[in-house]
């Protein structure tokens, strides 16, 4: 790989998207072979970014939570498939049955049905994690039955981290330092913004939109987000060299520089498929890791977004390769960051030429759409309709109409009619729930009226019982 040409490409694309800063580290054959910084820490003082410069890594924090949990599983202090009420007897959820079903495996694989929810600003005391969970969890709606579908949940990861800190005997930031940061010599990595500010730190920036005189220019944001109650969901601050070291530990199947963090079987469990995400590449989510099959076979990782910071993090254990990219998101550089990650990954581990997708217009002759016809609602209230027609089906989503093309047995590419938008529709073949759920871009949608019908059926049976009792 020509890293000089790669750097030129990065600088051009950063300038076009007005990205103030970016850092990159590349691991090949288990060794860090390239690292570089681009841009400045602040447009106000223009100190150059280096590989040591700190960024918030967002949800790339989550695999670190997974490592901590698996370390405690190895020690016999936690079990993945035991209901978590064993560890937090105070747990109360809006669905009382779910509180007795949810396990650590479900929390780490985002299959609890809990919401996404994240708040960037909040209390600064690390003990706020437990207090916030006790206060907030009873009010969250369980959107899908536990264990049924992938449904990204920050509260779920926070609960897993709290269970881990209880078992470990120290608060989350201390546990993270002792289990991961110190053994991997991630000396500048921290959850505390005040500690981070003692080192070179990429400051958050935004593009001015309201001030006509300065509209379109970059400026430093005046506030650095901090919420100790949400640290496990995305609060780690690190640099590409130290994130690459975490990657090297995964590539070493739990070991780095002669030090064992996890057993190989635990790393395998973190990376093993747990639940489908219903993508054209048939991606999966593991235990705080997710596949990146669009890059090629064997790639897993976890991206992060804590506005305006973004992280791209992938590893390929079989080939000893990894990529860490940290940057501030200028004028929507997220797509460019995704493309850069793919560009590097495919040069580290070349893939065979891809054939064009074997798509075809959907029709009733090849799929029984009657089970999925109707109105569906997403977690945020967005409506979707699957409508039958004489020769197949169509999707109406968020006010737009889409034609459907088959890209898998239960996955469809949706193309906006008369437009350029695209969505991915998944039809989960779940026993006992067929037709009750769909996914759009991996997010679950529930058929409207399903739970209302179940409730009405229950009420009717209660009324029948009461009538018999009175007679």
């Amino acid at each position: 790989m020509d890293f000089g040409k790669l750097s030129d490409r990065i600088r051009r694309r950063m300038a076009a998207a007005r990205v103030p800063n970016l850092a990159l580290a590349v691991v090949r054959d288990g060794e860090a072979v390239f690292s570089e910084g681009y841009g400045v820490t602040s447009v106000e003082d223009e100190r150059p970014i280096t590989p040591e410069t700190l960024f918030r890594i967002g949800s790339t924090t989550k695999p670190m939570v997974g490592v901590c949990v698996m370390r405690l599983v190895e020690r016999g202090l936690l079990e993945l498939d035991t209901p978590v009420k064993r560890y937090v007897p105070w747990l109360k959820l809006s669905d009382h049955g779910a509180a007795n079903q949810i396990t650590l495996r479900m929390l780490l694989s985002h299959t609890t049905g809990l919401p996404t929810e994240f708040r960037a600003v909040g209390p600064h005391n690390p003990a706020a994690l437990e207090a916030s969970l006790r206060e907030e969890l009873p009010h969250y709606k369980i959107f899908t039955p536990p264990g049924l579908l992938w449904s990204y949940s920050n509260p779920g990861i926070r609960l897993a981290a709290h269970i881990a800190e209880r078992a470990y005997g120290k608060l989350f930031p201390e546990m993270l330092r002792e289990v991961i940061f110190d053994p991997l010599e991630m000396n500048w990595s921290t959850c505390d913004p005040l500690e981070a500010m003692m080192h070179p730190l990429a400051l958050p920036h935004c593009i001015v939109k309201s001030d006509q005189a300065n509209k379109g220019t970059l400026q430093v944001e005046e506030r650095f987000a901090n919420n100790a109650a949400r640290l496990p969901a995305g609060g780690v601050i690190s640099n590409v060299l130290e994130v690459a070291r975490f990657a090297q530990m995964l590539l070493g199947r739990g070991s780095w520089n002669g030090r064992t963090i996890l057993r190989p079987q635990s790393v395998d469990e973190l990376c093993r498929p747990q639940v489908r995400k219903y993508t054209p590449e048939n991606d999966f989510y593991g235990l705080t890791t997710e596949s990146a099959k669009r890059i090629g076979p064997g790639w897993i990782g976890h991206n992060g977004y804590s506005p305006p910071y973004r992280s791209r993090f992938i590893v390929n254990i079989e080939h000893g390769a990894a990529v860490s990219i940290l940057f501030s998101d200028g004028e929507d550089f997220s797509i460019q960051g995704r493309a850069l990650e793919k560009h590097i990954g495919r040069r580290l581990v070349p893939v065979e030429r891809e054939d064009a997708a074997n798509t075809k217009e959907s029709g009733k002759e090849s799929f029984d759409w009657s089970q999925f016809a109707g109105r569906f609602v997403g977690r945020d209230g967005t409506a979707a309709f699957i409508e039958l027609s004489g020769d197949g089906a169509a999707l109406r989503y968020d006010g737009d109409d889409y034609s459907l093309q088959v890209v898998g047995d239960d996955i469809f590419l949706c193309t906006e009619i008369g437009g350029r938008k695209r969505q991915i529709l998944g039809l989960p073949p779940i026993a006992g729930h067929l037709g009750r759920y769909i996914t759009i871009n991996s997010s679950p949608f529930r058929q409207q009226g399903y739970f209302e019908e179940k409730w009405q059926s229950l009420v009717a049976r209660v009324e029948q019982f009461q009538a018999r009792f009175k007679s």
Side-chain angles (χ1 to χ4, degrees):
M1 185 185 306
D2 188 330
F3 289 115
K5 288 184 178 180
L6 175 65
S7 291
D8 291 340
R9 172 178 178 167
I10 291 171
R11 292 188 181 98
R12 287 195 304 271
R13 298 198 174 189
M14 286 177 64
R18 287 178 287 185
V19 173
N21 40 57
L22 181 148
L24 165 68
V26 177
V27 176
R28 183 167 54 201
D29 297 327
E31 299 295 330
V33 295
F34 180 76
S35 61
E36 186 60 271
Y38 308 88
V40 294
T41 60
S42 165
V43 294
E44 295 178 355
D45 62 23
E46 297 190 345
R47 294 180 183 177
I49 294 289
T50 73
E52 291 84 9
T53 303
L54 296 174
F55 292 74
R56 177 162 271 146
I57 69 172
S59 289
T60 303
T61 300
K62 289 180 171 70
M64 298 179 184
V65 174
V67 167
C68 289
V69 170
M70 292 308 299
R71 178 75 166 270
L72 294 163
V73 169
E74 289 181 355
R75 292 170 57 183
L77 297 175
L78 296 175
E79 296 177 358
L80 290 175
D81 298 308
T82 295
V84 297
K85 282 205 78 168
R86 173 178 172 182
Y87 309 115
V88 281
W90 51 260
L91 179 63
K92 293 181 181 179
L93 299 173
S94 59
D95 183 328
H96 300 298
N100 294 315
Q101 293 177 289
I102 288 175
T103 64
L104 274 168
R105 187 182 300 278
M106 295 177 191
L107 292 172
L108 297 178
S109 62
H110 297 282
T111 56
T112 61
L114 286 165
T116 300
E117 195 276 339
F118 185 81
R119 301 174 201 167
V121 178
H124 295 179
N125 181 359
L129 175 58
E130 178 179 0
S132 67
L133 290 169
R134 284 177 178 264
E135 178 184 352
E136 297 164 10
L137 285 174
H139 303 290
Y140 292 139
K141 292 182 179 179
I142 305 296
F143 190 74
T144 55
L148 191 67
L149 287 170
W150 183 80
S151 185
Y152 197 74
S153 173
N154 287 312
I157 292 295
R158 290 167 52 217
L159 180 56
H162 172 59
I163 291 168
E165 70 177 4
R166 284 175 62 94
Y168 190 78
K170 295 185 179 181
L171 294 177
F172 175 73
E174 298 174 82
M175 174 179 67
L176 207 58
R177 178 153 301 283
E178 293 182 8
V179 174
I180 298 175
F181 294 166
D182 286 348
L184 295 181
E185 297 179 14
M186 297 171 66
N187 299 324
W188 285 9
S189 296
T190 181
C191 294
D192 186 347
L194 294 179
E195 286 186 17
M197 291 174 187
M198 301 298 293
H199 305 289
L201 174 66
L203 296 182
H205 289 73
C206 64
I207 295 177
V208 178
K209 296 181 179 180
S210 57
D211 182 355
Q212 289 300 320
N214 299 301
K215 190 173 182 179
T217 62
L218 278 169
Q219 70 176 22
V220 176
E221 291 189 355
E222 297 298 327
R223 183 171 64 175
F224 194 93
N226 186 21
N227 189 340
R230 268 101 180 134
L231 291 177
V236 166
I237 301 168
S238 188
N239 60 46
V240 290
L241 295 178
E242 297 188 1
V243 173
R245 215 163 287 154
F246 180 75
Q248 288 174 296
M249 180 273 293
L250 296 176
L251 297 178
R253 297 186 67 214
S255 296
W256 175 82
N257 200 27
R259 302 168 189 173
T260 299
I261 312 301
L262 285 181
R263 298 170 187 164
Q265 300 92 323
S266 296
V267 175
D268 293 345
E269 189 66 19
L270 285 173
C271 303
R272 185 172 66 83
Q274 302 288 330
V275 60
R276 289 181 64 192
K277 292 182 64 180
Y278 292 94
T279 67
E281 298 84 9
N282 201 26
D283 281 301
F284 64 82
Y285 201 92
L287 299 180
T288 66
T289 65
E290 56 187 338
S291 63
K293 294 184 179 181
R294 64 184 181 81
I295 299 172
W299 287 102
I300 62 164
H302 207 298
N303 302 319
Y305 181 45
S306 181
Y309 298 104
R310 288 190 183 270
S311 167
R312 310 293 305 188
F313 173 71
I314 51 170
V315 299
N316 191 311
I317 294 176
E318 180 182 355
H319 293 278
V323 180
S324 173
I325 310 171
L326 299 174
F327 59 96
S328 297
D329 191 23
E331 195 168 37
D332 194 18
F333 192 69
S334 60
I335 297 175
Q336 297 290 345
R338 178 182 167 96
L340 176 61
E341 175 188 61
K342 183 176 180 178
H343 175 83
I344 298 171
R346 289 199 166 186
R347 277 150 184 79
L348 290 171
V349 184
V351 297
E352 296 181 2
R353 181 179 176 274
E354 295 176 302
D355 295 325
N358 182 24
T359 61
K360 60 181 180 179
E361 291 294 329
S362 66
K364 282 188 176 181
E365 72 278 4
S366 61
F367 195 87
D368 182 8
W369 285 100
S370 62
Q371 300 175 87
F372 293 93
R375 185 176 192 270
F376 294 80
V377 179
R379 296 188 301 180
D380 62 356
T382 302
F385 302 82
I386 293 181
E387 300 171 343
L388 301 180
S389 61
D391 57 354
L395 172 71
R396 184 170 180 79
Y397 170 62
D398 201 18
D400 297 315
D401 294 314
Y402 294 83
S403 62
L404 307 181
Q405 291 178 296
V406 179
V407 292
D409 292 339
D410 48 19
I411 301 171
F412 296 79
L413 173 65
C414 310
T415 304
E416 183 187 10
I417 298 173
R420 302 176 63 182
K421 296 179 185 176
R422 290 191 170 191
Q423 319 292 342
I424 301 298
L425 172 68
L427 307 177
I430 303 167
H433 297 278
L434 190 63
R436 300 305 187 186
Y437 297 92
I438 63 173
T439 67
I440 297 179
N441 303 327
S442 297
S443 294
F445 281 64
R446 189 172 67 202
Q447 190 170 48
Q448 192 176 45
Y450 172 60
F451 284 98
E452 290 83 352
E453 292 169 5
K454 290 291 186 183
W455 174 253
Q456 291 170 2
S457 174
L458 177 60
V459 169
R461 279 186 285 175
V462 170
E463 290 175 345
Q464 290 174 1
F465 176 82
Q466 290 173 334
R468 291 175 185 171
F469 181 79
K470 289 180 181 178
S471 63

